[in-house]
Amino acid sequence: MKMNITRLSIIASLMMLFLSINQSAIAAEPARVQVGIDYHYAIGLADDFNGHHTSIADQYFAGGYTTVTCLYNINQKFSAGLGAGIGLYSSGDIFTAPIFGTFRYRPLKNPLKDFYAFTDLGLGLGKEFWNVGPGFLWNIGIGWQKMFRKHFGINFQIAYNLNDFRRYRANVESVEHPDYDYYYIITAVPASDWRHSLAFGVGLVF
């Protein structure tokens, strides 16, 4: 009789433990729709502007940007969404305000299911003047997202970050003058500033 009671107690305890673990796993599963807030620090690798190439070996330049992303988890492997951000890149103090689409793919199974590959594609908003950089945006990299609750988790990313900042360059033209040998006309000409960076991101997921 005592043996049966002991066995029943062990079985009941194991069932309770299983249910507890199962409930925790269910609670940690991501919601269908999530919102992420991330900060990214971008180390400049190279910059090409107006025919002039600058690399990290020549000059250290960096940037930082914050993004808000709304994700829809299509299934356990695929997610897609839209995002917006604001940032500042050094070496010219270029402000950015991009909107972008994002896509994530999680090819791995436990215990590596929280890792994913991702890409972002978008455009910077603004007008073409000295401090605002509208233009093309592209990120590609890997990330790790860990959910502690259905609507709370952390996110880490590392990515190649490419920006085409639309800026103005100074165009200097010499013109002959009857009273002088020549004089200069300086005009502002639109030009692309291609910035290549390595970006590290950390954020919260709700």
Side-chain angles (χ1 to χ4, degrees), residues 115-174:
F115 286 92
Y116 62 88
F118 77 97
T119 185
D120 303 327
L121 184 65
L123 290 171
L125 302 178
K127 297 181 179 180
E128 295 178 349
F129 61 93
W130 288 107
N131 285 9
V132 175
F136 175 77
L137 162 71
W138 181 50
N139 294 319
I140 185 168
I142 58 173
W144 180 78
Q145 178 178 303
K146 179 65 176 179
M147 299 303 297
F148 300 106
R149 295 287 185 271
K150 189 172 183 178
H151 288 285
F152 180 75
I154 56 175
N155 184 52
F156 297 94
Q157 292 182 341
I158 180 171
Y160 166 70
N161 171 237
L162 175 65
N163 285 280
D164 171 22
F165 299 126
R166 295 287 179 171
R167 302 171 60 192
Y168 280 111
R169 64 177 178 83
N171 182 60
V172 181
E173 181 182 1
S174 61

Side-chain angles (χ1 to χ4, degrees), residues 104-121:
R104 296 181 181 181
Y105 173 54
R106 294 173 289 276
L108 304 177
K109 297 181 179 180
N110 278 329
L112 303 175
K113 69 180 182 67
D114 295 323
F115 286 92
Y116 62 88
F118 77 97
T119 185
D120 303 327
L121 184 65

Side-chain angles (χ1 to χ4, degrees), residues 2-87:
K2 289 182 178 180
M3 183 66 70
N4 290 334
I5 294 175
T6 303
R7 288 178 179 176
L8 288 173
S9 299
I10 293 173
I11 292 172
S13 298
L14 290 174
M15 289 180 65
M16 292 295 293
L17 179 61
F18 173 78
L19 289 172
S20 176
I21 293 172
N22 189 50
Q23 285 299 113
S24 298
I26 292 173
E29 283 296 315
R32 180 69 73 175
V33 177
Q34 294 177 306
V35 176
I37 301 175
D38 298 87
Y39 175 77
H40 307 261
Y41 183 76
I43 299 174
L45 302 176
D47 187 274
D48 294 284
F49 176 60
N50 194 24
H52 180 68
H53 178 81
T54 304
S55 71
I56 191 172
D58 304 317
Q59 176 186 348
Y60 181 81
F61 45 94
Y65 56 98
T66 300
T67 59
V68 177
T69 308
C70 182
L71 278 172
Y72 178 76
N73 294 310
I74 302 168
N75 53 40
Q76 292 184 349
K77 290 187 176 293
F78 298 100
S79 301
L82 296 173
I86 187 169

